Amino acid sequence: MSKKKILIVEDDLDLVNALTKRLRANSYDTIYALDAASAIQEAHKEKPDVIVLDIGLPGGDGFSVKKELDSSVYLSDIPVIVITAQNDSTTFKRSWRAGVAAFFQKPFDDQQLLSIVETVLGEPSLIEEKEE
Amino acid sequence: MKKMAKANILIVEDDRITADIIKKALTNLGYAVTSIASTRKEALKRAEEQKPDLVLMDIMLKGKMEGIEAADQIRSNFNIPVIYLTAYSDDQTLKRARITDPFGYILKPFETKELHTAIEIALHKHEMERKLRETQEWLSTALKNIGDAVIATDIRGFVTYMNLMAELMTGWNKDEALGEKLSTVFKITSSERGEKVRNVVTDVMKKGAVLDLNHNLLLKNKTGEKIPISLNGAPIRGKKGNITEVVFAFRDLSERQQMEEVLENTKASFHSIVERNNDGIIIVDRNRTVRFANPRGLVFLGKNDRRYVGKKFQYPVSKIKSGEIKISRTNGKPGVGEVQVVETEWESKPGYLISIRDITDRKRLFGELEKAHQQQIETRDQFLSHISHELRTPLSAILQFVTILLDGLDGEINPSQKEDLEIILRNSKHLNLMIRDLLDVTRAITGRLDIDPQPISILDVVAGTVDAFKRKATSKGISLCSEIQKELPSVYADSARICQVLSNLVDNAIKFTPENETISIRASLYRKDPDFICVEVADTGLGIDPDAKKKIFEYLYQAIKVTVSSRQGLGLGLFISKEIIFRHGGEIWVKSVPGKGSTFYFTLPVFSIARLLAPILTSDCLQRGFLTLFNIKIFPLDKPFPSQIWENIILVVQEVLQSSLFQDSEVLLPTMNSSESGKTFFLVAKANKKEAEGMVKRIKRQLELCDILQSTGIEPIISFSKINIPRENISTQLDQIATKVMKKMGKEVENNILLHGESK
């Protein structure tokens, strides 16, 4: 089975590097985007298995990215994990309403993030089993 | 005449035989004869004793004309009518007798018929006279005591009568006034021109009827004082219809005039106040018909003439005590009017006084002020949110790379490097907590510190905090011990927030407690109010200065008193703790003895379903007599999920349920229990079966939209059941209803919700 691909959407390059290092150390393939527009572009091009999405982004926030993803037949099924520095209940609630798979606040615990990624990636097989 | 037949009659006759004949005749006629007197003296005596209705009097007694004298005395003393009996019809005798005004004569010898007629006429005349006299007496008394002054004159204008009030007003004594010319006693002038008013008597006589002389007259009394009066004159006519007297009635107007002047002035000033008022004033009656409107009121309501009076007021009046309506302003533009309605009386009937004030400018100003204020708050919030965002992002990078190094992802590190990295990690985490505090303070100040209360076990929170601080305490040789009362009920609180408060208190306690001492954390039912639980954190540290005790919960207190070297942090902890506890409806305080230690206390409300249900238990709900309880179950299809994702799923479902509720008819009960094998949400709604089915569809549709449920394949199972509720008073039944709801929720919940005993 090939490595699962994770798209990191984050405007802070240091954090992108940290996440890349952490996820690659756990045998995931990673790609990244530094703004909303390139995030959509990358998603279309690379068809990632999971997207780790920051909310505060240049050129449209994370919610607009999620909305864009949902409007595409090819991308709407990709689970999205939100990681944000915004700490208010509005962002939290908006994320749930947008239908994200998980929500993390910066700074986050990488072990928890890894376990979520693992779970989210595990799910499609569950659904397939059920459909059979 | 019949009823007079029994009249008692006294006979005065010195001739015995004549007397007997008369007596016999009278008896035959049906009269009673009281006695027979033969002398004047005897006659007077009998009349006094027996009070006869009539006396038959012989003029000549014992050869003298004593009868006339006796009759006179009887009449005047006892008011008894007298009929003369006489054998003398000569002019001399009759003339003398007539002076005494007898009631009749009978000439001897007489016929019985004559006697009868004379007696009946006399009795009748006497009766008439009596009645007349009574009437006269009554009239005279009335006139005397009447509030109006009364003066009567004869036709030539000489005073013949005046009553007490007339005496008082003119200053003339009745006795000296009688016989005087009216113009002497009763001097009147026209108040306008000061001219004397003459010939009132002639005027009345000319008119021959009541004359109203009511135009501003002044009476000049004996002392020269001028009194404003109103005057009426009327002619009194004699038997033949000719005018015999003129009566004047007059009344002192000075008091009334003053009152009228005051009233007039008041009316005028009120009128001008009302007319010139900047507020619109409308008076309507109970039927909302406009009875009065001032000019400004007409403008505000867009009516430009007074014909508005009598029309219907366009707004429902009895319902608004105060409120706002659209008005047209004086410049013709639309605006906002503040309406106040009070009950009033208008022309002695109940109605409403409606005042309308143009508050367009005020509203705009307030609006702008509010907007500016909101903007200020938003700007500050945005600024802080921005700062925290800006601080957190590099902090995240630091933490990420420290852990990357610690985990050896970039190669092996030696123990000394590892130790250094752990110090960086610890300090970075501390920095993160300070950023959180900074944000919390701003939120507390702007009232945006959110809490998400759930039924939680205080035991869990205490245990978690003790665990977290065990190492820090042990390193200082301090022991942490907790005493939790057995079978303590759940509290309704935000677990993370209470953990924050408790951590802050324990952290402080550790800072101020010397080595090898003990910090106790206790929780028990609050003695003063069993609806609360009280948590205590007691240390044996430095204690707090009494002056400082009140201030330690204040904003930035610690930051000012930076001299206390052992303190660290921003000093925001207690302020935030206070805000968090207040937001829960609890209280926080401290008791301290300097040098001996401090104990911090805070209270939290005991969880009660009753309180949560209260908002939807309105009268219509009680009238229906039932509620509907929904069970929304979610569980993993295959194997249990990792805890992090399972918690996320629960949060999503809860958020979706919460956001799809209708606040006034549906209540989502707090999540009580969660296990890896499944989770049940409870929702109570005012719904009948059909509505409930609709709700199930609605909730399912909402949940289907959730990505995480789609991707995990979780399908919620929703069922509902009816809960009958007593149709009685809410307050007394609330607990009863809550118990019923809980019973329905099942045993699993009951155990968790009611008691968090030591088993947990």
Side-chain angles (χ1 to χ4, degrees):
Chain A
M1 203 160 110
S2 65
K3 280 184 178 178
K4 296 285 183 186
K5 202 185 283 172
I6 299 173
L7 169 60
I8 302 163
V9 186
E10 166 65 63
D11 61 332
D12 187 278
L13 200 56
D14 288 344
L15 257 183
V16 170
N17 285 332
L19 278 167
T20 304
K21 222 166 226 184
R22 179 63 70 184
L23 292 168
R24 288 202 169 155
N26 285 275
S27 324
Y28 292 109
D29 232 359
T30 64
I31 40 171
Y32 72 90
L34 294 170
D35 59 69
S38 47
I40 300 298
Q41 234 174 340
E42 283 299 308
H44 273 291
K45 205 173 86 193
E46 300 284 343
K47 302 275 181 324
D49 297 295
V50 177
I51 298 174
V52 173
L53 180 66
D54 185 17
I55 293 296
L57 289 172
D61 67 8
F63 295 121
S64 70
V65 174
K66 169 67 177 149
K67 212 172 158 191
E68 191 89 0
L69 292 172
D70 284 346
S71 66
S72 156
V73 227
Y74 304 106
L75 309 177
S76 63
D77 286 340
I78 304 173
V80 172
I81 297 169
V82 164
I83 295 180
T84 177
Q86 269 147 19
N87 133 314
D88 57 88
S89 49
T90 324
T91 312
F92 182 70
K93 283 177 185 169
R94 268 185 83 186
S95 301
W96 292 130
R97 273 176 219 160
V100 305
F103 180 94
F104 282 98
Q105 204 183 320
K106 287 179 193 172
F108 54 92
D109 187 284
D110 7 52
Q111 291 313 313
Q112 280 186 9
L113 179 70
L114 284 170
S115 88
I116 287 285
V117 169
E118 210 175 296
T119 316
V120 171
L121 284 171
E123 298 324 313
S125 62
L126 263 180
I127 292 171
E128 278 157 26
E129 272 170 40
K130 190 193 138 206
E131 278 169 353
E132 281 162 14
Chain B
M1 294 285 160
K2 238 180 193 172
K3 60 182 178 186
M4 297 217 177
K6 276 176 189 167
N8 297 312
I9 297 171
L10 168 68
I11 302 169
V12 187
E13 173 62 72
D14 57 349
D15 178 44
R16 194 70 207 176
I17 298 165
T18 315
D20 282 344
I21 294 167
I22 295 170
K23 185 180 175 181
K24 207 170 177 184
L26 288 176
T27 315
N28 283 342
L29 285 168
Y31 300 110
V33 176
T34 55
S35 56
I36 298 168
S38 54
T39 64
R40 179 180 70 96
K41 218 174 168 184
E42 199 188 348
L44 285 170
K45 198 181 166 201
R46 295 277 182 261
E48 189 175 7
E49 284 168 5
Q50 297 164 346
K51 298 263 162 16
D53 297 313
L54 185 82
V55 178
L56 284 178
M57 177 75 74
D58 189 2
I59 291 177
M60 299 299 281
L61 293 173
K62 308 288 180 198
K64 290 185 248 173
M65 283 175 68
E66 272 197 339
I68 290 173
E69 208 177 316
D72 194 24
Q73 281 170 328
I74 287 170
R75 283 221 50 201
S76 56
N77 290 357
F78 313 120
N79 191 25
I80 298 168
V82 178
I83 296 176
Y84 288 127
L85 289 167
T86 181
Y88 307 90
S89 57
D90 60 293
D91 280 356
Q92 184 72 32
T93 315
L94 288 179
K95 201 175 175 186
R96 257 203 78 187
R98 199 179 291 132
I99 296 167
T100 59
D101 195 14
F103 282 75
Y105 302 90
I106 298 170
L107 288 175
K108 289 190 273 192
F110 53 81
E111 300 265 325
T112 311
K113 202 180 160 190
E114 264 180 288
L115 185 67
H116 186 211
T117 311
I119 290 172
E120 286 306 318
I121 288 171
L123 286 172
H124 184 65
K125 195 176 161 195
H126 179 71
E127 179 64 17
M128 287 302 109
E129 274 187 4
R130 193 185 56 80
K131 279 185 181 162
L132 190 66
R133 203 162 43 240
E134 269 177 16
T135 312
Q136 274 173 346
E137 270 167 21
W138 183 86
L139 271 175
S140 136
T141 318
L143 272 179
K144 203 170 147 191
N145 298 316
I146 204 167
D148 282 2
V150 177
I151 294 179
T153 69
D154 61 19
I155 51 170
R156 292 168 303 155
F158 289 103
V159 175
T160 55
Y161 174 84
M162 70 195 293
N163 71 353
L164 194 65
M165 190 53 83
E167 287 184 65
L168 289 171
M169 279 178 64
T170 55
W172 281 74
N173 195 302
K174 186 179 175 180
D175 294 334
E176 45 181 41
L178 291 185
E180 289 286 338
K181 263 278 188 195
L182 182 70
S183 53
T184 314
V185 177
F186 190 59
K187 290 177 181 162
I188 47 175
T189 54
S190 141
S191 67
E192 276 156 19
R193 286 160 291 166
E195 285 168 19
K196 273 190 183 162
V197 178
R198 297 169 208 275
N199 307 322
V200 279
V201 178
T202 334
D203 288 347
V204 172
M205 288 179 63
K206 266 186 200 159
K207 193 174 180 201
V210 175
L211 184 64
D212 202 352
L213 300 161
N214 211 354
H215 39 260
N216 304 323
L217 295 175
L218 284 175
L219 164 67
K220 192 174 168 188
N221 69 9
K222 219 176 175 185
T223 55
E225 192 188 341
K226 283 179 180 169
I227 305 163
I229 56 160
S230 68
L231 176 68
N232 286 301
I236 306 267
R237 289 171 193 279
K239 280 176 195 164
K240 293 170 193 163
N242 57 322
I243 295 168
T244 54
E245 274 182 302
V246 179
V247 177
F248 295 97
F250 51 102
R251 180 175 287 189
D252 187 347
L253 291 182
S254 47
E255 210 170 302
R256 200 169 103 188
Q257 214 163 52
Q258 273 169 18
M259 291 278 285
E260 270 171 4
E261 267 168 39
V262 170
L263 206 68
E264 207 48 54
N265 285 339
T266 320
K267 258 189 185 167
S269 50
F270 266 118
H271 190 255
S272 101
I273 288 170
V274 169
E275 289 292 302
R276 291 187 203 165
N277 207 312
N278 262 334
D279 288 354
I281 295 169
I282 320 281
I283 291 170
V284 299
D285 60 20
R286 281 278 166 89
N287 302 321
R288 250 188 338 164
T289 305
V290 176
R291 314 299 310 182
F292 173 85
N294 74 345
R296 194 48 66 89
L298 292 170
V299 170
F300 283 166
L301 295 171
K303 315 281 171 189
N304 41 22
D305 66 294
R306 297 257 167 186
R307 271 174 293 173
Y308 185 46
V309 170
K311 302 241 168 75
K312 280 263 186 238
F313 185 64
Q314 57 261 61
Y315 300 98
V317 171
S318 49
K319 282 183 186 150
I320 39 168
K321 282 270 181 277
S322 64
E324 284 175 13
I325 59 167
K326 281 179 189 164
I327 57 165
S328 89
R329 309 187 70 194
T330 43
N331 60 12
K333 288 179 180 165
V336 183
E338 183 185 62
V339 181
Q340 296 222 319
V341 182
V342 289
E343 281 182 32
T344 186
E345 255 188 24
W346 183 256
E347 285 161 356
S348 319
K349 279 179 193 153
Y352 300 99
L353 172 80
I354 302 155
S355 58
I356 307 170
R357 175 164 295 179
D358 185 348
I359 55 162
T360 317
D361 292 334
R362 195 174 82 192
K363 257 194 103 80
R364 203 188 56 229
L365 218 65
F366 268 125
E368 277 167 14
L369 221 66
E370 185 57 31
K371 219 165 120 187
H373 185 61
Q374 280 303 324
Q375 260 168 7
Q376 204 183 344
I377 289 175
E378 259 161 49
T379 312
R380 187 162 57 180
D381 225 46
Q382 273 170 9
F383 174 70
L384 268 137
S385 172
H386 179 71
I387 281 198
S388 85
H389 184 265
E390 290 301 298
L391 290 173
R392 276 193 168 124
T393 305
L395 191 65
S396 296
I398 294 170
L399 282 161
Q400 287 306 309
F401 280 108
V402 170
T403 47
I404 283 167
L405 288 173
L406 276 169
D407 290 350
L409 297 186
D410 282 344
E412 287 289 313
I413 50 165
N414 65 37
S416 174
Q417 286 169 330
K418 195 181 176 206
E419 209 173 284
D420 297 348
L421 284 171
E422 266 164 1
I423 292 169
I424 297 175
L425 187 65
R426 199 178 68 225
N427 278 283
S428 302
K429 280 182 177 169
H430 188 64
L431 198 59
N432 185 38
L433 287 181
M434 287 200 288
I435 294 168
R436 182 201 65 187
D437 279 2
L438 207 59
L439 262 171
D440 280 352
V441 164
T442 336
R443 293 204 176 118
I445 291 167
T446 54
R448 296 182 183 190
L449 191 73
D450 290 330
I451 62 158
D452 177 22
Q454 299 290 338
I456 57 161
S457 150
I458 201 71
L459 186 110
D460 291 349
V461 178
V462 172
T465 311
V466 169
D467 270 357
F469 283 91
K470 204 148 226 165
R471 248 180 68 190
K472 193 173 182 179
T474 318
S475 71
K476 219 183 156 185
I478 293 168
S479 60
L480 286 178
C481 73
S482 57
E483 302 164 30
I484 313 293
Q485 191 183 324
K486 279 180 188 173
E487 302 194 332
L488 215 49
S490 296
V491 290
Y492 193 51
D494 184 329
S495 178
R497 288 297 191 185
I498 298 309
C499 193
Q500 190 181 343
V501 171
L502 202 56
S503 300
N504 182 255
L505 295 179
V506 171
D507 195 30
N508 279 344
I510 292 173
K511 269 182 222 157
F512 296 111
T513 303
E515 289 184 10
N516 303 320
E517 302 242 7
T518 305
I519 294 167
S520 308
I521 306 165
R522 294 185 279 264
S524 56
L525 260 192
Y526 187 33
R527 243 173 273 145
K528 286 186 187 165
D529 187 347
D531 284 340
F532 285 85
I533 275 176
C534 183
V535 181
E536 307 172 28
V537 177
D539 66 50
T540 51
L542 302 167
I544 299 159
D545 190 63
D547 290 340
K549 229 162 79 177
K550 284 175 197 160
K551 295 181 195 158
I552 55 169
F553 292 108
E554 281 171 22
Y555 176 41
L556 288 184
Y557 169 71
Q558 180 59 34
I560 297 156
K561 260 199 148 185
V562 281
T563 45
V564 184
S565 58
S566 60
R567 287 229 154 177
Q568 341 162 317
L570 298 172
L572 300 172
L574 286 176
F575 172 71
I576 295 167
S577 295
K578 182 189 78 179
E579 292 298 318
I580 291 172
I581 297 300
F582 278 10
R583 206 55 51 103
H584 280 85
E587 279 179 86
I588 186 166
W589 68 97
V590 64
K591 282 183 186 167
S592 179
V593 181
K596 292 219 165 163
S598 316
T599 305
F600 282 83
Y601 302 83
F602 65 86
T603 57
L604 289 171
V606 166
F607 172 72
S608 115
I609 283 198
R611 213 175 298 169
L612 287 177
L613 289 178
I616 64 163
L617 286 174
T618 46
S619 56
D620 66 307
C621 173
L622 291 175
Q623 223 146 42
R624 274 183 169 193
F626 63 88
L627 285 167
T628 304
L629 176 75
F630 293 81
N631 296 25
I632 301 123
K633 277 187 194 142
I634 53 165
F635 47 85
L637 285 172
D638 192 8
K639 54 176 187 203
F641 295 113
S643 68
Q644 180 74 27
I645 200 141
W646 181 235
E647 271 169 33
N648 268 310
I649 290 169
I650 289 168
L651 282 172
V652 172
V653 175
Q654 189 179 327
E655 181 53 36
V656 168
L657 289 175
Q658 190 69 52
S659 61
S660 67
L661 285 186
F662 289 109
Q663 296 297 339
D664 53 348
S665 61
E666 296 161 21
V667 168
L668 179 65
L669 298 177
T671 51
M672 319 280 174
N673 65 319
S674 165
S675 67
E676 286 185 346
S677 59
K679 160 103 190 158
T680 309
F681 293 90
F682 294 98
L683 201 151
V684 177
K686 294 195 272 197
N688 58 29
K689 200 178 170 200
K690 208 176 165 193
E691 288 163 335
E693 280 163 356
M695 270 182 77
V696 170
K697 273 185 198 159
R698 194 182 84 212
I699 294 168
K700 276 201 167 157
R701 212 177 305 130
Q702 293 279 338
L703 290 172
E704 273 166 15
L705 293 173
C706 294
D707 262 13
I708 199 162
L709 293 189
Q710 274 178 22
S711 63
T712 51
I714 291 175
E715 273 185 42
I717 293 174
I718 307 174
S719 60
F720 59 85
S721 56
K722 197 167 137 185
I723 298 170
N724 290 315
I725 54 174
R727 296 172 197 222
E728 285 159 56
N729 194 329
I730 301 176
S731 55
T732 55
Q733 302 303 325
L734 208 54
D735 287 334
Q736 221 175 310
I737 296 167
T739 315
K740 278 197 159 195
V741 170
M742 275 197 291
K743 262 190 190 157
K744 279 266 178 186
M745 286 163 85
K747 255 190 187 160
E748 36 170 357
V749 180
E750 222 172 294
N751 289 337
N752 274 291
I753 205 167
L754 289 175
L755 303 166
H756 280 283
E758 49 192 342
S759 60
K760 269 216 92 176

